[in-house]
Amino acid sequence: MRDVPERAAPLVRLARRYREPSVVQALRSAAAATVAYVIALRLSPEALPLTAPLTALLVVQVTLYATLTNGVRRVNSVVAGVLVAIAFSLLVGLTWWSLALLIIASLAVGHLVRVDEYVPEVAISAMLVLGVTTVGDTAWARVVETLIGALVGFATNVLLPPPVWVEEAGESIEGLARRLRQLMLRIGEEAAGRTPVEQAAARLHEARRLDHDIVSVDAALRQAEDSLRLNPRVREGLLHRVVLRTGLDTLEICTVVLRVLARTLTDLAKEREPQPLFPPEIGETVERLLSEIADAVVSFGVLVTTSVSLNADAAEARLSAELRQAAATRDKLAQLLLEQLQHDARQWQLHGAALTEVNRIIDELDTEHRSRRLLEELDLVSREQRERMPRLTRLRERLGVQEQLWRNRTGIGGRFQ
């Protein structure tokens, strides 16, 4: 029986590898490009209609939202380039100076039609079309091939729905929370004993390197946000996006505050060397406080990434209990530092700064603070959507009212709330 998990391990790794964005993107793009090429062989007059698979390859993205936005811009860029090439072929033809004018005009047209990153594609399409002999036939063939590739790309996301990358973003956020916890534990252990300046400075560099982790987590979260937009499989995409985004914002603030705390302790190590950072009792309290806050950071990461309501309630209860314990330890630390100030007022500014910084982290992790932030962000996003798309917002509100009325009549709403 023990051999079964070992034998199944390669299959598990393969399944996980299959879910990675790069693998999914490669399979879906290859399928879309092949289908587009087969269709273009029948509909295009060209012998090798490679524009169709090229368009499908560029149109198909990891998310449905990216496919729709990139597909429209891609089609616009190719059609604009073809039209510019037709105009130049009728007026001047292909020479060295007309090629320069063609590129300038194509890039200008690309900016006018707002194709964003596909501006160079306008010039590329224009040069390819202008460089052939039968300009008229080839131009319209490229338009047909481009439309075929774009339609196949859109259909690929309908028939092969893109994955929702919320789980991967959640794992990235939880990973960041655990790295924060490990650094807090190390800082706490060093605060309880003698900390050389070099050791305190090393913790400060570790805290600064967490900025790179935040960048990678933000990239994963952006992909997850795109996968939730316009996805028919997700009913509450806006709520998921806001929960994850505000969660990452909170962890980013905690990272900044932890970096400031590491800076404070480094300065304190310079002032007190060769003595310990704190007296024994205060040092032990600082270590216990940072350990409790570190556990709360991980619980916050779990709470943010938990989708099932029952598990979310348990995670929130655990986080609240850990924050209450941390607040009690913080009050004890404040009392000990006050007593220390009465006997020795040296470095009181740094002691007060360290206490203020750990207090800031506790406040950021507070569940009530998180709830207020969620409501504010949801109101802001909803207001922006109403201002940007008023007609679509009114249609959604009407559909929402009709759905609620239907739920009330059938009694379905009460069972699922």
PDB file of all heavy atoms in Angstrom, residues 139-161:
ATOM      1  N   ALA A 139      -4.390  41.432 -50.115  1.00  0.00           N
ATOM      2  CA  ALA A 139      -4.869  42.277 -49.023  1.00  0.00           C
ATOM      3  C   ALA A 139      -6.148  41.713 -48.432  1.00  0.00           C
ATOM      4  O   ALA A 139      -6.262  41.537 -47.213  1.00  0.00           O
ATOM      5  CB  ALA A 139      -5.097  43.699 -49.533  1.00  0.00           C
ATOM      6  N   TRP A 140      -7.111  41.417 -49.306  1.00  0.00           N
ATOM      7  CA  TRP A 140      -8.377  40.893 -48.782  1.00  0.00           C
ATOM      8  C   TRP A 140      -8.213  39.488 -48.233  1.00  0.00           C
ATOM      9  O   TRP A 140      -8.923  39.083 -47.306  1.00  0.00           O
ATOM     10  CB  TRP A 140      -9.431  40.928 -49.878  1.00  0.00           C
ATOM     11  CG  TRP A 140      -9.806  42.326 -50.256  1.00  0.00           C
ATOM     12  CD1 TRP A 140      -9.619  42.928 -51.450  1.00  0.00           C
ATOM     13  CD2 TRP A 140     -10.390  43.299 -49.389  1.00  0.00           C
ATOM     14  NE1 TRP A 140     -10.047  44.242 -51.416  1.00  0.00           N
ATOM     15  CE2 TRP A 140     -10.535  44.496 -50.150  1.00  0.00           C
ATOM     16  CE3 TRP A 140     -10.797  43.312 -48.060  1.00  0.00           C
ATOM     17  CZ2 TRP A 140     -11.068  45.656 -49.622  1.00  0.00           C
ATOM     18  CZ3 TRP A 140     -11.334  44.468 -47.527  1.00  0.00           C
ATOM     19  CH2 TRP A 140     -11.470  45.629 -48.305  1.00  0.00           C
ATOM     20  N   ALA A 141      -7.273  38.728 -48.790  1.00  0.00           N
ATOM     21  CA  ALA A 141      -7.009  37.404 -48.231  1.00  0.00           C
ATOM     22  C   ALA A 141      -6.472  37.509 -46.813  1.00  0.00           C
ATOM     23  O   ALA A 141      -6.847  36.739 -45.920  1.00  0.00           O
ATOM     24  CB  ALA A 141      -6.013  36.647 -49.109  1.00  0.00           C
ATOM     25  N   ARG A 142      -5.602  38.499 -46.574  1.00  0.00           N
ATOM     26  CA  ARG A 142      -5.077  38.687 -45.218  1.00  0.00           C
ATOM     27  C   ARG A 142      -6.185  39.110 -44.268  1.00  0.00           C
ATOM     28  O   ARG A 142      -6.193  38.721 -43.097  1.00  0.00           O
ATOM     29  CB  ARG A 142      -3.955  39.726 -45.217  1.00  0.00           C
ATOM     30  CG  ARG A 142      -2.610  39.137 -45.577  1.00  0.00           C
ATOM     31  CD  ARG A 142      -1.500  40.163 -45.448  1.00  0.00           C
ATOM     32  NE  ARG A 142      -1.394  40.715 -44.110  1.00  0.00           N
ATOM     33  CZ  ARG A 142      -0.748  40.126 -43.094  1.00  0.00           C
ATOM     34  NH1 ARG A 142      -0.194  38.946 -43.279  1.00  0.00           N
ATOM     35  NH2 ARG A 142      -0.661  40.708 -41.931  1.00  0.00           N
ATOM     36  N   VAL A 143      -7.121  39.930 -44.744  1.00  0.00           N
ATOM     37  CA  VAL A 143      -8.245  40.325 -43.897  1.00  0.00           C
ATOM     38  C   VAL A 143      -9.077  39.100 -43.524  1.00  0.00           C
ATOM     39  O   VAL A 143      -9.449  38.906 -42.360  1.00  0.00           O
ATOM     40  CB  VAL A 143      -9.105  41.391 -44.593  1.00  0.00           C
ATOM     41  CG1 VAL A 143     -10.367  41.673 -43.782  1.00  0.00           C
ATOM     42  CG2 VAL A 143      -8.306  42.675 -44.777  1.00  0.00           C
ATOM     43  N   VAL A 144      -9.360  38.254 -44.547  1.00  0.00           N
ATOM     44  CA  VAL A 144     -10.148  37.042 -44.280  1.00  0.00           C
ATOM     45  C   VAL A 144      -9.413  36.125 -43.316  1.00  0.00           C
ATOM     46  O   VAL A 144      -9.997  35.590 -42.357  1.00  0.00           O
ATOM     47  CB  VAL A 144     -10.447  36.311 -45.607  1.00  0.00           C
ATOM     48  CG1 VAL A 144     -11.079  34.954 -45.331  1.00  0.00           C
ATOM     49  CG2 VAL A 144     -11.381  37.152 -46.468  1.00  0.00           C
ATOM     50  N   GLU A 145      -8.112  35.933 -43.541  1.00  0.00           N
ATOM     51  CA  GLU A 145      -7.341  35.061 -42.652  1.00  0.00           C
ATOM     52  C   GLU A 145      -7.294  35.613 -41.229  1.00  0.00           C
ATOM     53  O   GLU A 145      -7.355  34.854 -40.250  1.00  0.00           O
ATOM     54  CB  GLU A 145      -5.926  34.890 -43.191  1.00  0.00           C
ATOM     55  CG  GLU A 145      -5.867  34.141 -44.521  1.00  0.00           C
ATOM     56  CD  GLU A 145      -4.495  34.227 -45.158  1.00  0.00           C
ATOM     57  OE1 GLU A 145      -3.538  34.567 -44.421  1.00  0.00           O
ATOM     58  OE2 GLU A 145      -4.380  33.973 -46.373  1.00  0.00           O
ATOM     59  N   THR A 146      -7.176  36.931 -41.114  1.00  0.00           N
ATOM     60  CA  THR A 146      -7.154  37.541 -39.778  1.00  0.00           C
ATOM     61  C   THR A 146      -8.473  37.319 -39.062  1.00  0.00           C
ATOM     62  O   THR A 146      -8.498  36.980 -37.869  1.00  0.00           O
ATOM     63  CB  THR A 146      -6.869  39.048 -39.890  1.00  0.00           C
ATOM     64  OG1 THR A 146      -5.597  39.229 -40.526  1.00  0.00           O
ATOM     65  CG2 THR A 146      -6.852  39.704 -38.524  1.00  0.00           C
ATOM     66  N   LEU A 147      -9.571  37.503 -39.771  1.00  0.00           N
ATOM     67  CA  LEU A 147     -10.881  37.275 -39.158  1.00  0.00           C
ATOM     68  C   LEU A 147     -11.064  35.815 -38.772  1.00  0.00           C
ATOM     69  O   LEU A 147     -11.625  35.507 -37.704  1.00  0.00           O
ATOM     70  CB  LEU A 147     -11.987  37.712 -40.124  1.00  0.00           C
ATOM     71  CG  LEU A 147     -12.055  39.226 -40.412  1.00  0.00           C
ATOM     72  CD1 LEU A 147     -13.121  39.512 -41.452  1.00  0.00           C
ATOM     73  CD2 LEU A 147     -12.329  40.007 -39.132  1.00  0.00           C
ATOM     74  N   ILE A 148     -10.587  34.899 -39.608  1.00  0.00           N
ATOM     75  CA  ILE A 148     -10.673  33.476 -39.276  1.00  0.00           C
ATOM     76  C   ILE A 148      -9.893  33.175 -37.996  1.00  0.00           C
ATOM     77  O   ILE A 148     -10.379  32.495 -37.073  1.00  0.00           O
ATOM     78  CB  ILE A 148     -10.153  32.617 -40.441  1.00  0.00           C
ATOM     79  CG1 ILE A 148     -11.095  32.718 -41.644  1.00  0.00           C
ATOM     80  CG2 ILE A 148      -9.990  31.152 -40.014  1.00  0.00           C
ATOM     81  CD1 ILE A 148     -10.562  32.031 -42.891  1.00  0.00           C
ATOM     82  N   GLY A 149      -8.661  33.669 -37.932  1.00  0.00           N
ATOM     83  CA  GLY A 149      -7.849  33.434 -36.738  1.00  0.00           C
ATOM     84  C   GLY A 149      -8.471  34.015 -35.487  1.00  0.00           C
ATOM     85  O   GLY A 149      -8.452  33.382 -34.422  1.00  0.00           O
ATOM     86  N   ALA A 150      -9.033  35.226 -35.597  1.00  0.00           N
ATOM     87  CA  ALA A 150      -9.647  35.847 -34.424  1.00  0.00           C
ATOM     88  C   ALA A 150     -10.881  35.075 -33.975  1.00  0.00           C
ATOM     89  O   ALA A 150     -11.083  34.839 -32.777  1.00  0.00           O
ATOM     90  CB  ALA A 150     -10.014  37.298 -34.745  1.00  0.00           C
ATOM     91  N   LEU A 151     -11.732  34.657 -34.943  1.00  0.00           N
ATOM     92  CA  LEU A 151     -12.937  33.906 -34.582  1.00  0.00           C
ATOM     93  C   LEU A 151     -12.593  32.556 -33.956  1.00  0.00           C
ATOM     94  O   LEU A 151     -13.229  32.121 -32.997  1.00  0.00           O
ATOM     95  CB  LEU A 151     -13.810  33.717 -35.824  1.00  0.00           C
ATOM     96  CG  LEU A 151     -14.467  34.992 -36.372  1.00  0.00           C
ATOM     97  CD1 LEU A 151     -15.206  34.690 -37.666  1.00  0.00           C
ATOM     98  CD2 LEU A 151     -15.412  35.595 -35.342  1.00  0.00           C
ATOM     99  N   VAL A 152     -11.581  31.899 -34.494  1.00  0.00           N
ATOM    100  CA  VAL A 152     -11.166  30.623 -33.901  1.00  0.00           C
ATOM    101  C   VAL A 152     -10.620  30.836 -32.493  1.00  0.00           C
ATOM    102  O   VAL A 152     -10.864  30.033 -31.580  1.00  0.00           O
ATOM    103  CB  VAL A 152     -10.112  29.937 -34.796  1.00  0.00           C
ATOM    104  CG1 VAL A 152      -9.504  28.731 -34.088  1.00  0.00           C
ATOM    105  CG2 VAL A 152     -10.741  29.508 -36.113  1.00  0.00           C
ATOM    106  N   GLY A 153      -9.888  31.930 -32.305  1.00  0.00           N
ATOM    107  CA  GLY A 153      -9.387  32.228 -30.970  1.00  0.00           C
ATOM    108  C   GLY A 153     -10.502  32.453 -29.971  1.00  0.00           C
ATOM    109  O   GLY A 153     -10.453  31.963 -28.832  1.00  0.00           O
ATOM    110  N   PHE A 154     -11.530  33.213 -30.387  1.00  0.00           N
ATOM    111  CA  PHE A 154     -12.687  33.413 -29.510  1.00  0.00           C
ATOM    112  C   PHE A 154     -13.396  32.087 -29.222  1.00  0.00           C
ATOM    113  O   PHE A 154     -13.775  31.801 -28.091  1.00  0.00           O
ATOM    114  CB  PHE A 154     -13.668  34.387 -30.160  1.00  0.00           C
ATOM    115  CG  PHE A 154     -13.127  35.777 -30.306  1.00  0.00           C
ATOM    116  CD1 PHE A 154     -13.555  36.606 -31.334  1.00  0.00           C
ATOM    117  CD2 PHE A 154     -12.177  36.269 -29.425  1.00  0.00           C
ATOM    118  CE1 PHE A 154     -13.058  37.886 -31.482  1.00  0.00           C
ATOM    119  CE2 PHE A 154     -11.671  37.541 -29.555  1.00  0.00           C
ATOM    120  CZ  PHE A 154     -12.105  38.364 -30.582  1.00  0.00           C
ATOM    121  N   ALA A 155     -13.582  31.279 -30.285  1.00  0.00           N
ATOM    122  CA  ALA A 155     -14.294  30.006 -30.100  1.00  0.00           C
ATOM    123  C   ALA A 155     -13.512  29.054 -29.199  1.00  0.00           C
ATOM    124  O   ALA A 155     -14.099  28.242 -28.482  1.00  0.00           O
ATOM    125  CB  ALA A 155     -14.536  29.353 -31.459  1.00  0.00           C
ATOM    126  N   THR A 156     -12.193  29.147 -29.220  1.00  0.00           N
ATOM    127  CA  THR A 156     -11.382  28.274 -28.369  1.00  0.00           C
ATOM    128  C   THR A 156     -11.701  28.503 -26.900  1.00  0.00           C
ATOM    129  O   THR A 156     -11.774  27.553 -26.108  1.00  0.00           O
ATOM    130  CB  THR A 156      -9.892  28.517 -28.625  1.00  0.00           C
ATOM    131  OG1 THR A 156      -9.599  28.234 -30.004  1.00  0.00           O
ATOM    132  CG2 THR A 156      -9.033  27.635 -27.747  1.00  0.00           C
ATOM    133  N   ASN A 157     -11.885  29.755 -26.526  1.00  0.00           N
ATOM    134  CA  ASN A 157     -12.191  30.042 -25.124  1.00  0.00           C
ATOM    135  C   ASN A 157     -13.619  29.645 -24.759  1.00  0.00           C
ATOM    136  O   ASN A 157     -13.925  29.492 -23.585  1.00  0.00           O
ATOM    137  CB  ASN A 157     -11.987  31.526 -24.825  1.00  0.00           C
ATOM    138  CG  ASN A 157     -10.622  31.779 -24.230  1.00  0.00           C
ATOM    139  OD1 ASN A 157      -9.911  30.857 -23.863  1.00  0.00           O
ATOM    140  ND2 ASN A 157     -10.241  33.044 -24.133  1.00  0.00           N
ATOM    141  N   VAL A 158     -14.494  29.529 -25.762  1.00  0.00           N
ATOM    142  CA  VAL A 158     -15.861  29.089 -25.475  1.00  0.00           C
ATOM    143  C   VAL A 158     -15.911  27.569 -25.335  1.00  0.00           C
ATOM    144  O   VAL A 158     -16.515  27.026 -24.400  1.00  0.00           O
ATOM    145  CB  VAL A 158     -16.823  29.571 -26.569  1.00  0.00           C
ATOM    146  CG1 VAL A 158     -18.222  29.018 -26.331  1.00  0.00           C
ATOM    147  CG2 VAL A 158     -16.859  31.098 -26.600  1.00  0.00           C
ATOM    148  N   LEU A 159     -15.255  26.870 -26.272  1.00  0.00           N
ATOM    149  CA  LEU A 159     -15.274  25.405 -26.256  1.00  0.00           C
ATOM    150  C   LEU A 159     -14.279  24.834 -25.238  1.00  0.00           C
ATOM    151  O   LEU A 159     -14.519  23.771 -24.659  1.00  0.00           O
ATOM    152  CB  LEU A 159     -14.957  24.866 -27.653  1.00  0.00           C
ATOM    153  CG  LEU A 159     -15.936  25.301 -28.754  1.00  0.00           C
ATOM    154  CD1 LEU A 159     -15.481  24.779 -30.108  1.00  0.00           C
ATOM    155  CD2 LEU A 159     -17.346  24.832 -28.435  1.00  0.00           C
ATOM    156  N   LEU A 160     -13.157  25.510 -25.062  1.00  0.00           N
ATOM    157  CA  LEU A 160     -12.147  25.107 -24.067  1.00  0.00           C
ATOM    158  C   LEU A 160     -12.000  26.243 -23.071  1.00  0.00           C
ATOM    159  O   LEU A 160     -11.096  27.066 -23.200  1.00  0.00           O
ATOM    160  CB  LEU A 160     -10.802  24.803 -24.750  1.00  0.00           C
ATOM    161  CG  LEU A 160     -10.810  23.715 -25.822  1.00  0.00           C
ATOM    162  CD1 LEU A 160      -9.446  23.623 -26.493  1.00  0.00           C
ATOM    163  CD2 LEU A 160     -11.200  22.376 -25.214  1.00  0.00           C
ATOM    164  N   PRO A 161     -12.899  26.342 -22.109  1.00  0.00           N
ATOM    165  CA  PRO A 161     -12.907  27.497 -21.198  1.00  0.00           C
ATOM    166  C   PRO A 161     -11.561  27.662 -20.497  1.00  0.00           C
ATOM    167  O   PRO A 161     -10.950  26.678 -20.073  1.00  0.00           O
ATOM    168  CB  PRO A 161     -14.012  27.147 -20.189  1.00  0.00           C
ATOM    169  CG  PRO A 161     -14.866  26.147 -20.885  1.00  0.00           C
ATOM    170  CD  PRO A 161     -13.945  25.374 -21.775  1.00  0.00           C
TER     171      PRO A 161
END
